[in-house]
Amino acid sequence: MKNSAKNLNPNIIKAFASQLKGKVISPTDAIYDETRSVYNGMIDKRPGLFAMCENAEDVIASVNFGRENNLLIAIRGGGHNGAGLGLCNDGLVIDLSSIKSVEVNTSNNTVKVGGGNIWNEVDAATHKFGLAIPSGMVSTTGVGGLTLGGGVGYLTRKHGLTIDNLLEAEMVLADGSFVTVNKNENTDLFWAIRGGGGNFGVVTSFTFQAHPIKTVIGGPTLWPIERVEEIMDWYHSFIHNAPEDLNGFIATMVIPESPFPAELHNKKFCGIVWCYTGDPEEFTELFKPVLDLNPVFAHVGEMPYPSLQSMFDGLLPPGLQWYWRADFFNELGSKVRAQHLKFGSTIPTPLSQMHLYPLSGAASRLGSTDTPWAYRDAKYAGVYIGVDPNPKNAATITNWCKSYYEALHPYSAGGAYSNFMMEEGQDRVKASYKHNYDRLVKIKNTYDPNNIFRVNQNIKP
């Protein structure tokens, strides 16, 4: 039974606060409600204390304080987790948002990033040197959460998942010790954090391999939702046989009122958002089959890579209502396509959508046990996303997502990308790690046998 922070002697909290360079925030502080807000406005948790850490020493003190006082501990980086797993009720939130730095080493194209950074800060720094690190699709996402869960994004086919580009991390463990993990040091932990989430410690820095990418050719193409079955059938063959320089996720969506042309507003579409990193002179020929399908809208051109990464940030600001469900898929057969037509035609709110991210190319070349990411052979990471600014629509978007998921789950590969999961129970966690789950449990038993780090997609000791 975990203790509530409300039961702690104020002198104990005061002594803890005196150890930190950062602040301790409690429910009586004026900034408490602002501090407890996260990206998903549907999350309404009330932590007992926030430790606003500014360095690794603060994290060590916070982990020790939480453990010694038997508090539930949550770790918050960018605060983007759909299930709100960066917060907990009554316990201690170790907040990393002030642990920020981006150090670019141009001699070997490596980048050391603080545990509290978000991706647009990293993109801005690396872009100056003509470099990029594979990450996600929304640049306000935290580096830590996205990386520890895997990292699917625009560069997945060319350069793999984010975890495939992780070279080293510095971590605070459950006993308060500080360790470096890489291919030569603490190799079991290094394996575990590349997809195993925040189960094994608090990562205060990441070192990544970056790649020479400054500009890309990217943007969306759209077809009426009535054509989704045809477009998906074509896309499945096209994308997995395309050069790895070409990526594009396919979606069902409603076009919002900005920044698209007025004739598209509030209509439902099948869309593909493209990213090409190869020779621009070869793009026209490569892209010809796409244009031969006569999209009603095609806004694809050369742009800085960070511009593509941040293209949808403005449409998806913090504080919206979110509900997610997800699955891996190997095929887009006729029954699957029919369900996408059905649910794509009944999208309940303008920001709700479905995405299928292709996983072929570089991401598929690693073995299924090389990292905890067990679905290296899957063709897609799929996600159904209910989004709306109005809390009154929370049930509507949730029910649409759940129904979409229930209709398609029988055709799935079984598990899901952990960063796209809500709190769905232990069986779902096991399904998502598949044959790697037992190895993760063994490592958990070694480094966190008391499950100090449990507010996550939990690997139970």
Side-chain angles (χ1 to χ4, degrees), residues 161 163-164 191 194-195 366-374 376 436:
L161 306 172
I163 53 173
D164 303 339
W191 179 86
R194 287 178 292 159
L366 272 71
S368 67
T369 60
D370 289 345
T371 66
W373 183 286
R376 291 288 177 171
N436 290 324

Side-chain angles (χ1 to χ4, degrees), residues 161-324:
L161 306 172
T162 307
I163 53 173
D164 303 339
N165 296 274
L166 180 63
L167 302 175
E168 185 172 283
E170 294 174 327
M171 314 174 52
V172 178
L173 304 183
D175 64 0
S177 59
F178 183 75
V179 298
T180 298
V181 303
N182 54 43
K183 66 179 182 180
N184 299 314
E185 301 174 82
N186 298 298
T187 55
D188 53 349
L189 270 176
F190 185 54
W191 179 86
I193 67 167
R194 287 178 292 159
N199 276 283
F200 306 96
V202 186
V203 179
T204 57
S205 79
F206 299 85
T207 301
F208 298 101
Q209 183 67 59
H211 302 275
I213 296 172
K214 193 170 182 71
T215 61
V216 297
I217 298 175
T221 51
L222 301 174
W223 294 267
I225 193 65
E226 292 79 11
R227 295 185 65 189
V228 66
E229 292 172 287
E230 169 200 356
I231 300 302
M232 279 191 170
D233 189 28
W234 163 85
Y235 168 84
H236 180 66
S237 176
F238 176 77
I239 195 65
H240 297 296
N241 289 294
E244 292 174 8
D245 279 307
L246 184 66
N247 198 355
F249 71 87
I250 191 166
T252 57
M253 62 180 75
V254 179
I255 296 304
E257 294 185 1
S258 177
F260 293 89
E263 62 270 20
L264 304 178
H265 291 175
N266 298 312
K267 295 179 181 177
K268 298 175 177 68
F269 289 92
C270 169
I272 303 175
V273 183
W274 302 96
C275 176
Y276 176 70
T277 57
D279 184 346
E281 293 185 4
E282 297 178 6
F283 180 75
T284 300
E285 184 64 26
L286 177 62
F287 206 62
K288 186 176 182 296
V290 182
L291 298 181
D292 286 346
L293 289 165
N294 297 314
V296 296
F297 179 79
H299 189 72
V300 179
E302 191 166 357
M303 66 182 75
Y305 175 69
S307 296
L308 181 62
Q309 275 288 96
S310 60
M311 182 175 286
F312 301 109
D313 290 4
L315 293 173
L316 301 169
L320 300 176
Q321 304 285 301
W322 285 76
Y323 189 84
W324 308 57

Side-chain angles (χ1 to χ4, degrees), residues 17 40 85 145 173 222 230 238 258 314 330-331 395 400 422 424:
N40 184 356
L85 297 176
L173 304 183
L222 301 174
E230 169 200 356
F238 176 77
S258 177
N330 292 321
E331 53 90 13
W400 176 77
M422 303 298 281
E424 300 172 30

Side-chain angles (χ1 to χ4, degrees), residues 137 210 259 261 265-266 298 306 337 379 419:
M137 305 281 180
H265 291 175
N266 298 312
R337 300 194 303 269
K379 295 298 185 185
N419 285 349

Side-chain angles (χ1 to χ4, degrees), residues 89-146:
N89 286 315
D90 298 324
L92 172 68
V93 173
I94 299 176
D95 184 287
L96 309 180
S97 59
S98 294
I99 303 180
K100 292 187 175 185
S101 63
V102 184
E103 303 170 22
V104 181
N105 185 338
T106 55
S107 68
N108 57 7
N109 292 349
T110 60
V111 186
K112 187 173 183 179
V113 179
N117 278 99
I118 58 177
W119 279 107
N120 58 25
E121 297 163 343
V122 179
D123 292 339
T126 56
H127 184 67
K128 294 175 183 177
F129 300 97
L131 298 171
I133 300 166
S135 56
M137 305 281 180
V138 176
S139 77
T140 57
T141 306
V143 170
L146 181 129

Side-chain angles (χ1 to χ4, degrees), residues 3-85:
N3 193 10
S4 170
K6 299 173 186 175
N7 298 329
L8 294 180
N9 186 309
N11 290 329
I12 293 176
I13 297 174
K14 187 176 180 180
F16 168 52
S18 70
Q19 298 178 48
L20 303 187
K21 184 179 180 183
K23 296 179 179 179
V24 172
I25 297 172
S26 71
T28 58
D29 290 311
I31 59 172
Y32 175 76
D33 281 332
E34 176 187 343
T35 304
R36 72 185 183 92
S37 66
V38 288
Y39 188 73
N40 184 356
M42 203 181 288
I43 303 301
D44 184 25
K45 295 182 180 179
R46 303 189 66 86
L49 292 172
F50 286 89
M52 309 301 289
C53 299
E54 294 195 8
N55 52 35
E57 290 81 2
D58 281 2
V59 175
I60 292 169
S62 299
V63 169
N64 287 338
F65 175 79
R67 185 190 65 250
E68 291 164 2
N69 289 282
N70 195 32
L71 295 175
L72 187 63
I73 296 175
I75 313 301
R76 183 169 68 175
H80 260 247
N81 183 271
L85 297 176

